[in-house]
mmCIF file of all heavy atoms in Angstrom:
data_model
loop_
_atom_site.group_PDB
_atom_site.id
_atom_site.type_symbol
_atom_site.label_atom_id
_atom_site.label_comp_id
_atom_site.label_asym_id
_atom_site.label_seq_id
_atom_site.Cartn_x
_atom_site.Cartn_y
_atom_site.Cartn_z
ATOM 1 N N ALA A 224 -14.246 26.117 4.518
ATOM 2 C CA ALA A 224 -15.138 27.237 5.043
ATOM 3 C C ALA A 224 -14.295 28.493 5.053
ATOM 4 O O ALA A 224 -14.900 29.552 4.968
ATOM 5 C CB ALA A 224 -15.531 26.850 6.409
ATOM 6 N N GLY A 225 -12.938 28.397 5.155
ATOM 7 C CA GLY A 225 -12.176 29.720 5.263
ATOM 8 C C GLY A 225 -11.803 30.105 3.872
ATOM 9 O O GLY A 225 -11.450 31.350 3.774
ATOM 10 N N GLN A 226 -11.812 29.224 2.845
ATOM 11 C CA GLN A 226 -11.365 29.641 1.546
ATOM 12 C C GLN A 226 -12.469 29.546 0.429
ATOM 13 O O GLN A 226 -12.154 30.184 -0.569
ATOM 14 C CB GLN A 226 -10.324 28.528 1.119
ATOM 15 C CG GLN A 226 -9.106 28.416 1.975
ATOM 16 C CD GLN A 226 -8.290 29.623 1.855
ATOM 17 O OE1 GLN A 226 -8.051 30.275 0.816
ATOM 18 N NE2 GLN A 226 -7.649 30.035 3.231
ATOM 19 N N ALA A 227 -13.702 29.096 0.671
ATOM 20 C CA ALA A 227 -14.658 28.935 -0.455
ATOM 21 C C ALA A 227 -15.109 30.531 -0.976
ATOM 22 O O ALA A 227 -15.195 31.321 -0.293
ATOM 23 C CB ALA A 227 -15.799 28.316 0.048
ATOM 24 N N GLY A 228 -15.108 30.413 -2.262
ATOM 25 C CA GLY A 228 -15.648 31.610 -2.998
ATOM 26 C C GLY A 228 -17.098 31.463 -3.329
ATOM 27 O O GLY A 228 -17.791 30.595 -2.988
ATOM 28 N N THR A 229 -17.705 32.564 -3.850
ATOM 29 C CA THR A 229 -19.090 32.596 -4.285
ATOM 30 C C THR A 229 -19.482 31.298 -5.089
ATOM 31 O O THR A 229 -20.515 30.765 -4.932
ATOM 32 C CB THR A 229 -19.541 33.898 -4.951
ATOM 33 O OG1 THR A 229 -19.044 35.013 -4.205
ATOM 34 C CG2 THR A 229 -20.901 33.951 -5.353
ATOM 35 N N ALA A 230 -18.679 31.019 -6.189
ATOM 36 C CA ALA A 230 -18.979 29.884 -7.014
ATOM 37 C C ALA A 230 -18.856 28.581 -6.285
ATOM 38 O O ALA A 230 -19.669 27.677 -6.368
ATOM 39 C CB ALA A 230 -17.865 29.849 -8.133
ATOM 40 N N ASP A 231 -17.997 28.443 -5.307
ATOM 41 C CA ASP A 231 -17.917 27.233 -4.352
ATOM 42 C C ASP A 231 -19.239 27.063 -3.622
ATOM 43 O O ASP A 231 -19.739 26.032 -3.539
ATOM 44 C CB ASP A 231 -16.688 27.253 -3.572
ATOM 45 C CG ASP A 231 -15.319 27.202 -4.280
ATOM 46 O OD1 ASP A 231 -15.254 26.450 -5.201
ATOM 47 O OD2 ASP A 231 -14.519 28.001 -4.067
ATOM 48 N N ARG A 232 -19.613 27.992 -3.030
ATOM 49 C CA ARG A 232 -20.829 28.111 -2.064
ATOM 50 C C ARG A 232 -22.111 27.714 -3.019
ATOM 51 O O ARG A 232 -22.832 26.987 -2.551
ATOM 52 C CB ARG A 232 -20.976 29.398 -1.451
ATOM 53 C CG ARG A 232 -19.916 29.765 -0.473
ATOM 54 C CD ARG A 232 -20.173 30.990 0.390
ATOM 55 N NE ARG A 232 -19.026 31.432 1.248
ATOM 56 C CZ ARG A 232 -18.190 32.320 0.842
ATOM 57 N NH1 ARG A 232 -18.306 33.002 -0.282
ATOM 58 N NH2 ARG A 232 -17.169 32.631 1.675
ATOM 59 N N ALA A 233 -22.066 28.388 -4.220
ATOM 60 C CA ALA A 233 -23.305 27.982 -5.003
ATOM 61 C C ALA A 233 -23.228 26.528 -5.442
ATOM 62 O O ALA A 233 -24.156 25.878 -5.644
ATOM 63 C CB ALA A 233 -23.250 28.895 -6.248
ATOM 64 N N ARG A 234 -21.992 26.072 -5.846
ATOM 65 C CA ARG A 234 -21.867 24.602 -6.237
ATOM 66 C C ARG A 234 -22.265 23.705 -5.034
ATOM 67 O O ARG A 234 -23.084 22.722 -5.401
ATOM 68 C CB ARG A 234 -20.529 24.348 -6.613
ATOM 69 C CG ARG A 234 -20.213 22.882 -6.990
ATOM 70 C CD ARG A 234 -18.784 22.651 -7.325
ATOM 71 N NE ARG A 234 -18.479 21.379 -7.794
ATOM 72 C CZ ARG A 234 -17.222 20.894 -7.774
ATOM 73 N NH1 ARG A 234 -16.169 21.537 -7.508
ATOM 74 N NH2 ARG A 234 -17.059 19.508 -8.317
ATOM 75 N N LEU A 235 -21.944 23.962 -3.895
ATOM 76 C CA LEU A 235 -22.436 23.108 -2.742
ATOM 77 C C LEU A 235 -23.937 23.020 -2.555
ATOM 78 O O LEU A 235 -24.496 21.963 -2.342
ATOM 79 C CB LEU A 235 -21.744 23.560 -1.507
ATOM 80 C CG LEU A 235 -20.130 23.244 -1.354
ATOM 81 C CD1 LEU A 235 -19.510 24.109 -0.218
ATOM 82 C CD2 LEU A 235 -19.832 21.855 -1.234
ATOM 83 N N LEU A 236 -24.487 24.211 -2.738
ATOM 84 C CA LEU A 236 -25.979 24.271 -2.560
ATOM 85 C C LEU A 236 -26.695 23.532 -3.790
ATOM 86 O O LEU A 236 -27.634 22.819 -3.450
ATOM 87 C CB LEU A 236 -26.347 25.797 -2.619
ATOM 88 C CG LEU A 236 -27.818 25.965 -2.080
ATOM 89 C CD1 LEU A 236 -27.994 25.603 -0.702
ATOM 90 C CD2 LEU A 236 -28.123 27.502 -2.184
ATOM 91 N N ARG A 237 -26.090 23.702 -4.970
ATOM 92 C CA ARG A 237 -26.714 22.875 -6.025
ATOM 93 C C ARG A 237 -26.586 21.353 -5.816
ATOM 94 O O ARG A 237 -27.499 20.653 -6.067
ATOM 95 C CB ARG A 237 -25.950 23.252 -7.331
ATOM 96 C CG ARG A 237 -26.402 24.628 -7.935
ATOM 97 C CD ARG A 237 -25.990 24.764 -9.374
ATOM 98 N NE ARG A 237 -24.558 24.509 -9.447
ATOM 99 C CZ ARG A 237 -23.590 25.491 -9.522
ATOM 100 N NH1 ARG A 237 -23.905 26.802 -9.176
ATOM 101 N NH2 ARG A 237 -22.295 25.248 -9.664
ATOM 102 N N LEU A 238 -25.440 20.944 -5.354
ATOM 103 C CA LEU A 238 -25.270 19.532 -5.186
ATOM 104 C C LEU A 238 -26.135 19.026 -3.993
ATOM 105 O O LEU A 238 -26.596 17.913 -4.039
ATOM 106 C CB LEU A 238 -23.825 19.241 -4.779
ATOM 107 C CG LEU A 238 -22.774 19.395 -5.897
ATOM 108 C CD1 LEU A 238 -21.403 19.223 -5.390
ATOM 109 C CD2 LEU A 238 -23.004 18.303 -6.938
ATOM 110 N N ARG A 239 -26.286 19.872 -2.930
ATOM 111 C CA ARG A 239 -27.211 19.421 -1.978
ATOM 112 C C ARG A 239 -28.694 19.275 -2.533
ATOM 113 O O ARG A 239 -29.300 18.249 -2.032
ATOM 114 C CB ARG A 239 -27.286 20.469 -0.791
ATOM 115 C CG ARG A 239 -27.935 20.093 0.566
ATOM 116 C CD ARG A 239 -29.472 20.294 0.488
ATOM 117 N NE ARG A 239 -29.901 21.553 -0.051
ATOM 118 C CZ ARG A 239 -29.977 22.698 0.787
ATOM 119 N NH1 ARG A 239 -29.664 22.772 1.977
ATOM 120 N NH2 ARG A 239 -30.397 23.789 0.226
ATOM 121 N N ASP A 240 -29.171 20.156 -3.312
ATOM 122 C CA ASP A 240 -30.357 20.151 -3.970
ATOM 123 C C ASP A 240 -30.523 18.849 -4.773
ATOM 124 O O ASP A 240 -31.422 18.268 -5.000
ATOM 125 C CB ASP A 240 -30.786 21.455 -4.681
ATOM 126 C CG ASP A 240 -30.876 22.681 -3.795
ATOM 127 O OD1 ASP A 240 -31.162 22.349 -2.574
ATOM 128 O OD2 ASP A 240 -30.821 23.685 -4.231
ATOM 129 N N GLU A 241 -29.323 18.608 -5.482
ATOM 130 C CA GLU A 241 -29.316 17.434 -6.457
ATOM 131 C C GLU A 241 -29.457 16.124 -5.581
ATOM 132 O O GLU A 241 -30.134 15.206 -6.118
ATOM 133 C CB GLU A 241 -27.956 17.366 -7.179
ATOM 134 C CG GLU A 241 -27.872 16.329 -8.241
ATOM 135 C CD GLU A 241 -26.583 16.375 -9.075
ATOM 136 O OE1 GLU A 241 -26.075 17.607 -9.192
ATOM 137 O OE2 GLU A 241 -26.042 15.366 -9.488
ATOM 138 N N ILE A 242 -28.908 16.150 -4.458
ATOM 139 C CA ILE A 242 -29.099 14.939 -3.557
ATOM 140 C C ILE A 242 -30.605 14.771 -3.215
ATOM 141 O O ILE A 242 -31.213 13.706 -3.297
ATOM 142 C CB ILE A 242 -28.350 15.024 -2.256
ATOM 143 C CG1 ILE A 242 -26.840 14.990 -2.550
ATOM 144 C CG2 ILE A 242 -28.745 13.913 -1.243
ATOM 145 C CD1 ILE A 242 -25.888 15.351 -1.382
ATOM 146 N N ALA A 243 -31.216 15.879 -2.772
ATOM 147 C CA ALA A 243 -32.595 15.915 -2.389
ATOM 148 C C ALA A 243 -33.488 15.412 -3.599
ATOM 149 O O ALA A 243 -34.570 14.866 -3.192
ATOM 150 C CB ALA A 243 -32.974 17.215 -1.899
ATOM 151 N N ALA A 244 -33.140 15.910 -4.770
ATOM 152 C CA ALA A 244 -34.051 15.639 -5.886
ATOM 153 C C ALA A 244 -33.770 14.311 -6.665
ATOM 154 O O ALA A 244 -34.390 13.971 -7.640
ATOM 155 C CB ALA A 244 -34.013 16.815 -6.836
ATOM 156 N N ALA A 245 -32.779 13.503 -6.086
ATOM 157 C CA ALA A 245 -32.335 12.383 -6.773
ATOM 158 C C ALA A 245 -33.420 11.384 -6.877
ATOM 159 O O ALA A 245 -34.246 11.195 -6.078
ATOM 160 C CB ALA A 245 -31.116 11.742 -6.091
ATOM 161 N N PRO A 246 -33.585 10.655 -8.048
ATOM 162 C CA PRO A 246 -34.710 9.733 -8.179
ATOM 163 C C PRO A 246 -34.566 8.341 -7.433
ATOM 164 O O PRO A 246 -35.368 7.516 -7.329
ATOM 165 C CB PRO A 246 -34.740 9.415 -9.746
ATOM 166 C CG PRO A 246 -33.314 9.718 -10.098
ATOM 167 C CD PRO A 246 -32.812 10.839 -9.221
#
Side-chain angles (χ1 to χ4, degrees):
Q226 300 290 327
T229 302
D231 296 313
R232 297 187 183 97
R234 181 185 177 191
L235 287 169
L236 196 59
R237 286 196 304 271
L238 288 170
R239 191 278 310 276
D240 293 343
E241 187 175 328
I242 295 172

